[in-house]
Amino acid sequence: NQNLFPLVLANNSQHYRSMDFVNGLQSYLFKHNCYTTVHISNNDDKQEQDIINSLVKNGMQQIIILPVEKGDNTEFYFGLLSKGIKLIFTDRKPPDLPCSLVSCDNFSGGYLATRHLLEKGHRQIAFITNVKIGQASSVDQRLSGYRRALLERGVACDEQYILFADDKVELEAKVKELMERPNAPTAIF
């Protein structure tokens, strides 16, 4: 059905960002006599593949995806593209995947947030993410904006301040360790 755009979300429907995606997409599609269905992969690579395979089996030719954050279904996506399935990603997409991405300006977001902290007098600014660098274009772009703001203000980018924390427990431990350093950051982005 050309008027149906299934949405596959990594996060469960209770996650605030997921509901924003659903509301925005539904509003836009409705204005164009199109509709969506929502499918949740619970941040699981295999479940994401199963949902998408089921949609394709049922005749879907275009699928909108907010992909699993820490997964890597890149080869799977390439296989879908080679079968003529149109993939539209939201927020992030795997690098080098030739498909559409609908996203905010993550570079400017990282740049503006860091510039704001610099304007407040901070020079030791940490960057912490829950997605590994290189896994999500959105995080990579925010990091690029962070680095650019530091560079423009003549502040060295200390790679020791760029951290990955997989979950809340690891985040708390890394922030605690970071703040106990002799050269602890004065701000965290």
Side-chain angles (χ1 to χ4, degrees), residues 158-171:
D158 187 341
E159 295 298 317
Q160 293 180 30
Y161 287 162
I162 299 172
L163 302 174
F164 163 74
D166 195 36
D167 57 33
K168 184 179 179 183
V169 173
E170 185 178 5
L171 172 66

Side-chain angles (χ1 to χ4, degrees), residues 17-175:
R17 284 181 33 199
S18 297
M19 290 311 298
D20 287 343
F21 282 123
V22 172
N23 289 335
L25 179 63
Q26 215 169 18
S27 175
Y28 177 81
L29 291 176
F30 187 74
K31 291 176 186 174
H32 299 279
N33 294 320
C34 295
Y35 306 92
T36 189
T37 56
V38 179
H39 310 269
I40 310 296
S41 71
N42 295 308
N43 258 331
D44 180 273
D45 285 32
K46 178 73 169 97
Q47 194 171 354
E48 183 178 85
Q49 287 184 22
D50 291 345
I51 291 167
I52 293 170
N53 280 330
S54 178
L55 291 167
V56 170
K57 182 179 175 185
N58 287 314
M60 294 296 106
Q61 293 294 305
Q62 65 269 338
I63 301 169
I64 302 169
I65 306 168
L66 172 59
V68 170
E69 287 182 350
K70 296 172 181 70
D72 185 10
N73 278 334
T74 304
E75 292 304 315
F76 172 70
Y77 301 140
F78 272 113
L80 293 168
L81 292 171
S82 70
K83 294 176 186 174
I85 305 299
K86 294 177 186 84
L87 302 178
I88 303 164
F89 285 85
T90 61
D91 188 48
R92 59 187 174 268
K93 74 176 187 68
D96 303 322
L97 196 66
C99 57
S100 298
L101 172 66
V102 178
S103 179
C104 65
D105 185 347
N106 288 295
F107 177 87
S108 291
Y111 175 85
L112 292 171
T114 306
R115 189 178 78 183
H116 171 77
L117 294 170
L118 289 163
E119 288 170 355
K120 294 292 181 185
H122 298 281
R123 294 293 177 265
Q124 295 169 273
I125 304 168
F127 179 96
I128 301 178
T129 176
N130 69 337
V131 178
K132 289 182 181 174
I133 306 304
Q135 278 191 329
S137 55
S138 56
V139 172
D140 294 346
Q141 292 164 2
R142 287 181 204 126
L143 179 58
S144 292
Y146 161 87
R147 286 186 166 136
R148 172 61 64 89
L150 292 174
L151 178 69
E152 284 181 3
R153 296 293 171 108
V155 177
C157 181
D158 187 341
E159 295 298 317
Q160 293 180 30
Y161 287 162
I162 299 172
L163 302 174
F164 163 74
D166 195 36
D167 57 33
K168 184 179 179 183
V169 173
E170 185 178 5
L171 172 66
E172 289 172 358
K174 286 194 174 188
V175 168

